[in-house]
């Protein structure tokens, strides 16, 4: 084999190795991006389940005793805790994995036509509940919220 052919072969090997290295780097970057996107989707899904559970737990507390809801201080942040037999509100933060779920209950006002309004007469049988789940992610603090009205169904 001539020395120029050996030199050309060496250049081909270097070019082929470079192409393979670039492809591998791009593939690894793509896999890493896919893992990060999957992780964020998993976190959002977990947060959604915790929101739903928070709403259902609040309804279960309401079904047991409306006074457990109506006696809460409006605008105060509460947390849900399961004591082994029932859900209860607490002012102590409860962390579930990396997630913190909070509940804020506010009064509801009704206008002269009995519609929910920004101001008017306070409806003691209806509350606005906002469940919020927050967690620390690679992109910073993330939150998801769910707001719904809850009523005293045993009036």
């Amino acid at each position: 084999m001539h020395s120029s052919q050996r030199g050309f072969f060496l250049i081909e090997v270097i070019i082929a190795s470079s192409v393979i290295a670039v492809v591998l780097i791009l593939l690894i970057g793509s896999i890493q991006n896919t893992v990060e996107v999957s992780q964020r989707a998993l976190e959002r899904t977990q947060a959604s389940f915790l929101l739903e559970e928070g709403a259902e737990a609040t309804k279960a507390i309401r079904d047991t005793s409306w006074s457990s809801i109506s006696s809460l201080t409006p605008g105060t942040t509460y947390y849900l805790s399961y004591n082994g037999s029932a859900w209860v509100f607490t002012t102590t933060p409860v962390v579930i994995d990396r997630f913190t779920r909070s509940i804020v209950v506010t009064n509801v006002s009704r206008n002269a036509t009995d519609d929910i309004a920004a101001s008017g007469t306070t409806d003691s049988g209806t509350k606005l509940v906002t469940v919020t789940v927050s967690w620390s992610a690679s992109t910073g603090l993330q939150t998801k919220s769910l707001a719904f009205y809850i009523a005293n169904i045993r009036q």
Side-chain angles (χ1 to χ4, degrees):
M1 191 183 277
H2 297 279
S3 64
S4 64
Q5 288 176 334
R6 278 189 266 151
F8 185 69
F9 178 72
L10 183 58
I11 291 173
E12 287 177 336
V13 169
I14 291 171
I15 291 173
S17 298
S18 299
V19 169
I20 290 172
V22 168
V23 168
L24 286 176
I25 290 170
L26 291 174
L27 184 60
I28 290 169
S30 177
I31 291 170
Q32 181 180 1
N33 188 41
T34 301
V35 169
E36 288 174 6
V37 168
S38 296
Q39 179 65 32
R40 285 193 299 265
L42 175 63
E43 289 170 349
R44 286 191 305 271
T45 300
Q46 287 174 307
S48 295
F49 284 135
L50 288 169
L51 284 174
E52 182 67 27
E53 182 183 54
E56 294 301 322
T58 302
K59 292 174 188 175
I61 292 170
R62 182 258 336 252
D63 293 347
T64 302
S65 172
W66 174 251
S67 65
S68 296
I69 303 282
S70 63
S71 65
L72 297 175
T73 304
T76 300
T77 300
Y78 293 94
Y79 304 91
L80 281 169
S81 177
Y82 190 73
N83 66 12
S85 61
W87 288 99
V88 294
F89 292 111
T90 179
T91 55
T92 304
V94 177
V95 178
I96 305 149
D97 293 331
R98 301 188 332 251
F99 300 89
T100 302
R101 176 178 48 206
S102 61
I103 310 266
V104 176
V105 177
T106 54
N107 289 329
V108 171
S109 298
R110 297 205 179 256
N111 61 19
T113 58
D114 208 29
D115 292 328
I116 293 175
S119 63
T121 305
T122 299
D123 180 355
S124 62
T126 306
K127 300 288 181 181
L128 174 61
V129 177
T130 304
V131 181
T132 302
V133 174
S134 59
W135 69 98
S136 181
S138 61
T139 56
L141 183 65
Q142 301 293 310
T143 61
K144 271 188 107 161
S145 294
L146 171 67
F148 60 96
Y149 292 100
I150 192 165
N152 182 358
I153 57 175
R154 297 181 186 226
Q155 287 183 345

